[in-house]
Amino acid sequence: MPDELPVLPDIPCPFPTTFGAHPHPHADAAENDVLALLENIDAPAQLKQRLADIGLGPLTGQLYPGTTRQGLRLAMLYYAQFCLHEDWIIRQDPATLTHAYDRVLAVFDGEPTNPADSPLTRLTSHLARHLHAFRLPEHTVRFRTALSDYLGAHLWEADLQLHRRTPALAEYRHLRPVVLGVRPLHELYPLIHLQPVPTHLLGHPVVEALGAMMVNFHVLANDMHSLAKELRAEKHPLNTVLVLRAEKGLTLQQGVDATARAAAKELDAYQQLKAALPRLGLNHPALTAHLANMERLAADTVAWHLATPRYQATPHGRADA
């Protein structure tokens, strides 16, 4: 593994960013709500530091400056679940994950928790209750489907890591967009922003393709900025850059450059397809607002990565390039 980390190139983004411009006035209160809830589920002590490392209060507030306190709290609960799951899974035997995930989904579906449940299961129960409070069951169903896919993809990833297998790029392109967790977040957006979208529009193949392109962009941008973190990991690291390097015989720098080019192509393809929406009769105002919210997240994601302590440290204590 080369000692020097590559330079991260810019990814041209055509969408406006609001990150840092208007911090959410209720960010501290919403963060306190979530932290108090975590105290009641026996969350591991390190989770609080993990949430500080992603800027749960101040940085999430900058991602969602115009949401209600309820919407911001929902976003923070999802980020808390994501971090809790990421820490929890590294201590699990992959053979036990199917049962554990079945229990998580059963509690999401309404089964009561019990003292033997993991903090992840109990946090999922709280997340489900917050979702139901919005009284938009069609969006809850869509989130549940995305959550199930996200958990299932982690079985796949855990098997790769257990056997220290670097998959072919053709395989990894199917795994990585699901395991990253952006798709469930997108499914929460109509609730976070209080802008419900008719679900028949969200299920249209063109709209689904637009969402997939946005998820792919997040995968590629994240894998560039998380490369140092992945190289520090004790587990077998899986990352688009590393998969490209293994399959195509690239250097780390060449892998990063190829990843950046692929991210830019996803945004170009997204814009071209989005331009067809009026011709296809898909220029519904709620859908337009939903896509704008996803675009804003894409524009903000690079700034978020640069501002987040989680992605700053590198091997041997160097600062990121």
Side-chain angles (χ1 to χ4, degrees), residues 288-311:
T288 300
H290 177 65
L291 294 176
N293 287 329
M294 292 200 307
E295 292 164 6
R296 191 172 300 108
L297 180 64
D300 289 348
T301 192
V302 171
W304 180 85
H305 276 87
L306 294 175
T308 304
R310 168 181 169 84
Y311 297 99

Side-chain angles (χ1 to χ4, degrees), residues 51-62:
L51 297 177
D53 286 345
I54 66 163
L56 181 68
L59 297 185
T60 306
Q62 292 180 50

Side-chain angles (χ1 to χ4, degrees), residues 62-283:
Q62 292 180 50
L63 287 174
Y64 306 105
T67 59
T68 64
R69 178 170 168 175
Q70 182 188 24
L72 183 62
R73 185 168 58 240
L74 179 62
M76 289 185 182
L77 274 174
Y78 178 70
Y79 291 145
Q81 186 195 49
F82 179 91
C83 289
L84 178 58
H85 175 260
E86 190 173 61
D87 279 350
W88 171 83
I89 193 173
I90 62 175
R91 298 188 297 275
Q92 306 305 310
D93 180 343
T96 70
L97 288 177
T98 297
H99 175 74
Y101 288 153
D102 285 347
R103 179 62 185 155
V104 167
L105 293 172
V107 167
F108 184 91
D109 291 339
E111 286 194 17
T113 57
N114 60 58
D117 282 328
S118 68
L120 177 65
T121 301
R122 281 177 273 169
L123 181 56
T124 300
S125 176
H126 286 287
L127 179 60
R129 281 201 291 272
H130 277 74
L131 274 168
H132 287 302
F134 285 85
R135 301 185 184 278
L136 292 168
E138 65 276 18
H139 290 293
T140 300
V141 169
R142 288 184 60 90
F143 173 80
R144 199 269 191 201
T145 299
L147 176 64
S148 178
D149 291 347
Y150 166 76
L151 296 175
H154 274 87
L155 291 167
W156 183 358
E157 184 180 53
D159 182 72
L160 290 172
Q161 290 173 339
L162 177 66
H163 293 94
R164 302 187 67 81
R165 181 170 74 87
T166 299
L169 183 61
E171 177 183 351
Y172 196 63
R173 282 174 173 159
H174 291 281
L175 168 65
R176 187 61 175 138
V178 190
V179 83
L180 182 63
V182 173
R183 184 178 146 222
L185 178 61
H186 280 171
E187 296 295 353
L188 290 178
Y189 262 37
L191 308 175
I192 290 172
H193 294 283
L194 290 181
Q195 294 175 326
V197 186
T199 51
H200 75 276
L201 291 177
L202 292 176
H204 191 285
V206 172
V207 178
E208 289 188 340
L210 290 170
M213 291 171 188
M214 277 297 184
V215 170
N216 288 339
F217 168 77
H218 282 280
V219 164
L220 297 164
N222 176 273
D223 282 7
M224 285 174 52
H225 288 277
S226 69
L227 179 61
K229 178 178 73 68
E230 293 295 329
L231 293 175
R232 289 199 312 273
E234 294 181 3
K235 63 183 180 179
H236 179 57
L238 291 175
N239 180 293
T240 301
V241 176
L242 301 179
V243 170
L244 280 169
R245 186 183 66 164
E247 180 160 310
K248 299 183 180 296
L250 306 179
T251 65
L252 277 181
Q253 185 66 62
Q254 289 170 333
V256 165
D257 292 343
T259 301
R261 290 193 296 271
K265 288 180 180 178
E266 290 289 343
L267 294 182
D268 288 344
Y270 172 91
Q271 286 188 292
Q272 291 181 32
L273 183 57
K274 184 187 174 187
L277 291 180
R279 301 194 301 271
L280 300 174
L282 296 172
N283 53 342

